[in-house]
Amino acid sequence: MGLQLPATFASSYGDYISYPENLSHKSTYAGGLRSYKLQLDAVQSKLFSTKDVNINVPFRDLQQSGNAFDKQKMRDDDELKEWLGDRSAVDPNALATKRDPQCRFIFIYSRHSQAQLNISREMFARILSYHQVMPSYLDFVSVFGIHNHFREPRFSGFRDQTLLTKNPKLEVESLGRSGRQFQLCWNLKAPSRWSEEGTLHPGPEKWSLRQGAFHHQFDVEKGTTLWIITKPGLDIKDRVQDVTGKTGNDEDRKFTTPEQCMKSSFAIHLLIGHWATEKWRQYFQWLEDKIEDETFLLVYDARGSGGNSQIYSSSNLQKAQELEEQTSEATMALQGNADVLISLKNFYKALSENNDFPLKTICSSDIGMFLRQIDSFIYDSNMQIARGKLLAQIVAARKTIILQHFQSQTTEKMEGLTISMQRDSTTLRIIGTMTFLYLPGTFVSTFFSTDVIKYQTQNGNGDGSGPTPHDGSYSALAMNRWLQVSLPLTFLTFVGAVLWFWIVNRRNLKLQLLPIIQSKLQ
């Protein structure tokens, strides 16, 4: 026998596949809901599992006795419907057959940050429609799944929907929903070792930033609590089990009254806040160690002192750039965390001052204690933000030094090349000078060796007497003529070369001075 449901809720849940356009309470205009629907359609293949064998959605529901939790893993949509109490497949009027548990946890997870969520699109839409989850949660969930460019640490946000006066569209008395509730959606980032995500990587320690998306509903009249936690891995699920299980504190797992439910919800808030802040110190220490390993020699480099300097290349510059980006992104992610925690604090502070909040007086001390603990998370985050900013400045400064060393190495190579060219130029200049000096004499000697001028006959003296051609002979007249022609010609060649050099040098000087003169005249 199905429970009596309002027609608004029955229609909304019956059309669950069109989430969020089917919501009973529409917190935004129809075009905005349609935009969310199109956004979900666009990322469906990358966000949700397409293989039934991978589907696994853990539920953790408080038993009616309030003493323990029932745990179940949903492997398909039929199991999910049965768990929610939807037996419409047998009886069309049995959309719901049992009340909501006083506290429910739903864990939507993936194997790692670049894997699809272990839930189908149909199951996801059914869960969010059944619990009437605000559409803003899609903004936080859509960063998961398969992405070509992994930029999830750059997105942070906090959304709330507060309805402290009775809303007929959300009131479902048969399910234990009063219609007076608030909903929160937010995300936080935390550093994680790769091995913590279930994949063991040999070699040096490696860290990465991982994100969690959280949804929380609280019925301020009934105390009914809902948590939907989406993130890679199930580490937060294990923590929730520790807090709400037999080993947890008694006050953190009591759900008898709305006051106790509110206090127990604060314990989960603090659990999430602790997860998001506990490992930033180790992460920045890891970054500092990487920076020291890569840039240690920059501070103690013996360049210019005669020592053995490190040779820097473009790969050193790229590594420094990568470290700077890692540090800046970590600082930005941590700043996003701090802003989200501030928004969470401001929400509960405003809630405690709202006269329509029925637990305003009875929970005032618990809210005050909770806000102080959130302040400690914010303080720790701000301290690490300052550390991250300083680290980013150090990396930027050392990257500049690497660039300077790289340029210095280039300059040294150019200087060596210049010296080598100067040596070659000196050698060529000597050769050119010697060639210049010998050129006129060589020309004259070549000219005198032709048949144009003859100082000796074949017999030696021109009159048939004297030595034979095979005997040695000397002609003073030929030597005098050679000197008379060669020396003036060498002198004229030298004067011409000097004059040519002077003319060219003067022309170049004018070309250099012309822009200066023109600028002064202007």
Side-chain angles (χ1 to χ4, degrees), residues 447-455:
F447 181 75
F448 277 19
S449 66
T450 63
D451 292 338
V452 176
I453 301 175
K454 289 184 178 181
Y455 290 97

Side-chain angles (χ1 to χ4, degrees), residues 108 137 140-141 143-144 152 155-157 185-190 209-215 228-233 235-236 272 275-276 337 340:
I108 302 174
Y137 193 51
F140 302 95
V141 173
V143 301
F144 297 101
E152 69 169 48
F155 171 72
S156 296
C185 296
W186 72 100
N187 67 339
L188 291 169
K189 276 81 65 178
L209 300 182
R210 293 295 176 256
Q211 179 167 188
F214 308 94
H215 172 77
I228 302 177
I229 298 174
T230 306
K231 71 173 296 291
D235 54 309
I236 289 188
I272 294 172
W275 166 81
N337 279 5
V340 169

Side-chain angles (χ1 to χ4, degrees), residues 85-140:
D86 179 358
R87 294 184 174 86
S88 57
V90 178
D91 181 1
N93 296 321
L95 282 176
T97 59
K98 60 181 182 180
R99 293 170 64 90
D100 292 341
Q102 196 67 20
C103 181
R104 166 172 283 167
F105 294 93
I106 303 174
F107 302 96
I108 302 174
Y109 75 101
S110 61
R111 290 181 295 106
H112 54 81
S113 58
Q114 283 288 293
Q116 295 171 321
L117 297 175
N118 292 348
I119 188 173
S120 66
R121 164 71 182 276
E122 186 178 12
M123 294 174 66
F124 182 79
R126 185 181 296 279
I127 290 173
L128 270 59
S129 294
Y130 185 82
H131 297 97
Q132 295 292 295
V133 175
M134 57 191 293
S136 299
Y137 193 51
L138 296 179
D139 290 330
F140 302 95

